[in-house]
């Protein structure tokens, strides 16, 4: 009797160790790594009707472009370019569908390929400016936040060109979706790279009607480039405008969210370039309320080093020179920050820098009285700045401090 029990136990154990019985071979799957969403213009819609492609309802339609990676070694081949050069291969391919439903567009791919698309490995979603200006972002990402296969760590981008062009531009051997994801590893080297905005991070601001930034990406030649950021207005959830690269740099100083980068200015007396490498930065926004009038004071601190001084010959960097350079660099930071705030207050009428959060935390009663019309209120609020840069290092050349 005991022997029979042992055989039963062994049989159950063997069944548990039999492997993934429901798995699918990787050659039979389409590994989705990127998505681009574009609006359909009249000419494209007419062409789609003639060719019989897509769902031709009267509702506004979206071109959904899906990027899939080609597992190397699974099929033994890579997709070659038209030149058939071995140095110009593509390890990805794109497929586009037009529909008023992003979910339906995905399922329409089943009419064109035997491979099943899966979203477990999705890395980036790029949304065109035209589509983001006319639709609440919540609607555009609804499918991606509901799908159990898609991770909430997927990064969001906006493009002031065609979103699908971004997924078609990459140097030979590179994959656009992976390039976009990897660029954020360079945040400590350039302040033009904003903090990553993922599906998980964007849901809160959208539900709370809080304005925020999303990195802008454009297609140039055979590459993609990060170029400023799109500003989404909290009350509408729609794209309201853009900060250019310089204005995004000012936003990094204003919020203290930069991890590192370069600050440069020119000495007006000698016209020599001064380059400061940012090693750290910190920003603190203080809200002041006096007789019902709101104002803000921003304190910005940074430490860094001389990266370039463009001196014709080595010379001693005595205290007077360092003090003068420090003042010039601080003036440049002030210019960057003021330009960014002017853009937010006067052009976009949108607060996306955290001033409202500071007022909420420091004066909650005042915040409750202005939060319903905060963007317009912010546009009239005076802001002062205190900037302190500390040059700690002078480089390894014989241009040294006394």
């Amino acid at each position: 009797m005991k022997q029979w029990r042992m055989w039963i136990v062994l049989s159950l154990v063997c069944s548990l160790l039999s492997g993934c019985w429901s798995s699918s071979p990787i050659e039979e799957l389409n590994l989705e790594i990127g998505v681009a969403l574009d609006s359909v213009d009249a000419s494209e819609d007419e062409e789609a009707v003639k060719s019989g492609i897509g769902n031709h309802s009267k509702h506004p339609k979206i071109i959904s472009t899906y990027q899939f990676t080609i597992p190397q070694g699974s099929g033994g081949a890579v997709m070659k370019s038209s030149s058939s050069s071995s140095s110009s291969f593509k390890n990805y391919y794109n497929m586009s569908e037009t529909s008023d439903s992003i979910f339906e567009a995905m399922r329409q791919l089943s009419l064109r390929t035997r491979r099943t698309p899966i979203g477990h490995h999705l890395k980036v979603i790029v949304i065109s400016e035209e589509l983001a200006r006319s639709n609440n972002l919540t609607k555009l990402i609804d499918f991606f936040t509901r799908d159990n296969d898609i991770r909430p760590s997927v990064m969001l981008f906006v493009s002031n060109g065609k979103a699908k062009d971004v997924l078609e531009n990459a140097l030979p051997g590179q994959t656009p979706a992976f390039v976009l994801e990897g660029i954020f590893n360079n945040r400590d080297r350039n302040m033009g790279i904003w903090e990553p905005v993922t599906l998980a991070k964007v849901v809160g601001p959208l539900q709370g009607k809080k304005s925020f930034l999303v990195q802008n990406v454009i297609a140039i030649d055979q590459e993609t480039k990060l170029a400023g950021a799109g500003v989404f207005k909290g009350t509408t959830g729609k794209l309201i405008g853009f900060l250019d690269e310089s204005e995004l740099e000012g936003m990094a100083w204003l919020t203290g969210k930069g991890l590192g980068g370069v600050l440069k200015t020119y000495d007006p007396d000698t016209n020599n370039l001064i380059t400061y490498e940012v090693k750290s930065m910190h920003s603190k926004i203080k809200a002041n309320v006096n007789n019902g009038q709101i104002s803000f004071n921003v304190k910005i601190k940074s430490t860094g080093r001389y990266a370039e001084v463009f001196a014709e010959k080595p010379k001693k960097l005595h205290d007077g020179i360092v003090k003068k350079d420090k003042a010039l660099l601080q003036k440049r930071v002030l210019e960057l920050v003021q330009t960014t705030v002017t853009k937010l207050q006067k052009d976009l009428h949108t607060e996306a820098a955290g001033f409202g959060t500071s007022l909420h935390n420091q004066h909650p009663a005042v915040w409750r009285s202005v939060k319903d019309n905060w963007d317009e209120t912010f546009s009239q609020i005076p802001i002062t700045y205190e900037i302190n840069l500390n040059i700690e290092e002078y480089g390894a050349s014989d241009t040294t401090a006394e």
Side-chain angles (χ1 to χ4, degrees):
M1 189 68 179
K2 290 182 179 181
Q3 193 174 17
W4 279 107
R5 290 179 179 176
M6 182 181 68
W7 281 111
I8 293 173
V9 172
L10 287 175
S11 298
L12 290 173
V13 171
C14 288
S15 67
L16 293 174
L17 299 177
S18 60
C20 299
W21 60 271
S22 62
S23 64
S24 299
I26 194 170
E27 309 90 64
E28 301 298 323
L29 298 175
N30 267 341
L31 304 181
E32 181 184 341
I33 55 174
V35 176
L37 303 177
D38 289 286
S39 59
V40 179
D41 60 34
S43 60
E44 289 173 316
D45 196 20
E46 183 179 351
E47 185 65 27
V49 171
K50 290 180 180 179
S51 61
I53 299 175
N55 177 10
H56 311 299
S57 70
K58 296 181 180 180
H59 298 286
K61 289 186 278 295
I62 298 171
I63 300 176
S64 302
T65 301
Y66 302 91
Q67 184 163 102
F68 302 100
T69 186
I70 303 172
Q72 301 302 307
S74 61
V78 295
M79 298 187 71
K80 298 292 184 79
S81 67
S82 58
S83 65
S84 70
S85 169
S86 60
S87 63
S88 302
F89 69 86
K90 286 186 177 181
N91 50 15
Y92 67 92
Y93 65 98
N94 297 339
M95 299 178 72
S96 297
E97 281 290 342
T98 302
S99 174
D100 54 359
S101 164
I102 296 173
F103 175 59
E104 182 190 43
M106 168 62 74
R107 290 300 176 90
Q108 287 290 101
L109 297 179
S110 301
L111 301 175
R112 300 165 56 191
T113 176
R114 65 182 177 83
R115 294 176 175 174
T116 304
I118 60 171
H120 303 89
H121 303 281
L122 183 61
K123 304 297 182 184
V124 300
I125 298 172
V126 185
I127 303 172
S128 70
E129 174 186 359
E130 186 176 356
L131 194 62
R133 283 186 182 273
S134 58
N135 291 272
N136 188 303
L137 185 60
T138 302
K139 295 165 56 178
L140 298 176
I141 65 172
D142 182 69
F143 164 69
F144 303 103
T145 56
R146 290 179 185 274
D147 195 320
N148 292 332
D149 286 346
I150 296 175
R151 295 184 173 95
S153 58
V154 175
M155 296 180 182
L156 292 177
F157 294 83
V158 66
S159 177
N160 56 0
K162 287 281 189 181
K164 67 178 182 179
D165 290 345
V166 173
L167 292 188
E168 292 172 354
N169 274 35
L171 294 174
Q174 296 187 348
T175 303
F178 293 150
V179 171
L180 284 179
E181 181 192 35
I183 285 179
F184 284 95
N185 294 327
N186 298 328
R187 284 191 66 208
D188 61 339
R189 305 181 67 83
N190 195 300
M191 285 187 288
I193 305 176
W194 189 242
E195 61 180 355
V197 177
T198 63
L199 290 175
K201 288 184 178 180
V202 81
V203 171
L206 284 171
Q207 296 299 320
K209 299 188 179 301
K210 181 180 178 181
S211 301
F212 57 93
L213 304 184
V214 173
Q215 187 81 55
N216 178 47
V217 59
I218 59 175
I220 53 170
D221 299 327
Q222 292 185 341
E223 298 179 275
T224 56
K225 179 188 177 183
L226 303 188
V231 182
F232 282 79
K233 195 173 185 68
T235 53
T236 64
K238 297 179 181 180
L239 180 70
I240 190 67
F242 288 90
L243 299 181
D244 63 25
E245 295 176 56
S246 178
E247 291 162 347
L248 184 58
E249 184 179 349
M251 180 67 84
W253 284 105
L254 184 64
T255 60
K257 291 183 178 181
L259 299 185
V262 177
L263 173 69
K264 69 176 185 179
T265 190
Y266 289 88
D267 187 331
D269 297 328
T270 63
N271 203 35
N272 284 341
L273 175 68
I274 305 170
T275 309
Y276 171 82
E277 181 182 2
V278 180
K279 307 301 289 184
S280 68
M281 65 166 59
H282 177 74
S283 172
K284 183 177 181 180
I285 299 176
K286 182 179 180 182
N288 301 305
V289 179
N290 186 13
N291 295 326
Q293 300 299 309
I294 304 170
S295 63
F296 290 103
N297 176 258
V298 183
K299 293 184 179 180
I300 299 172
K301 294 183 179 181
S302 172
T303 59
R305 61 185 292 272
Y306 276 113
E308 274 180 316
V309 293
F310 261 60
E312 293 184 1
K313 58 183 180 179
K315 63 180 180 180
K316 296 288 186 180
L317 290 175
H318 57 72
D319 289 344
I321 292 178
V322 174
K323 185 176 180 180
K324 178 183 178 182
D325 290 350
K326 175 181 175 180
L328 290 172
L329 290 167
Q330 290 177 164
K331 181 181 178 182
R332 177 56 182 158
V333 172
L334 180 61
E335 291 172 352
L336 289 169
V337 171
Q338 287 180 325
T339 299
T340 300
V341 171
T342 298
K343 181 69 168 288
L344 293 175
Q345 287 187 316
K346 306 306 179 185
D347 295 345
L348 301 179
H349 296 273
T350 302
E351 193 278 291
F355 288 95
T357 300
S358 297
L359 182 62
H360 183 195
N361 293 338
Q362 298 168 24
H363 301 275
V366 176
W367 168 252
R368 285 193 292 270
S369 67
V370 299
K371 66 177 183 178
D372 292 336
N373 195 35
W374 173 237
D375 284 334
E376 292 301 325
T377 301
F378 169 73
S379 300
Q380 307 300 323
I381 293 178
I383 303 172
T384 57
Y385 307 92
E386 298 177 35
I387 300 169
N388 183 19
L389 271 58
N390 184 21
I391 303 175
E392 291 187 333
E393 301 176 28
Y394 305 94
S397 73
D398 55 358
T399 305
T400 58
E402 289 183 337

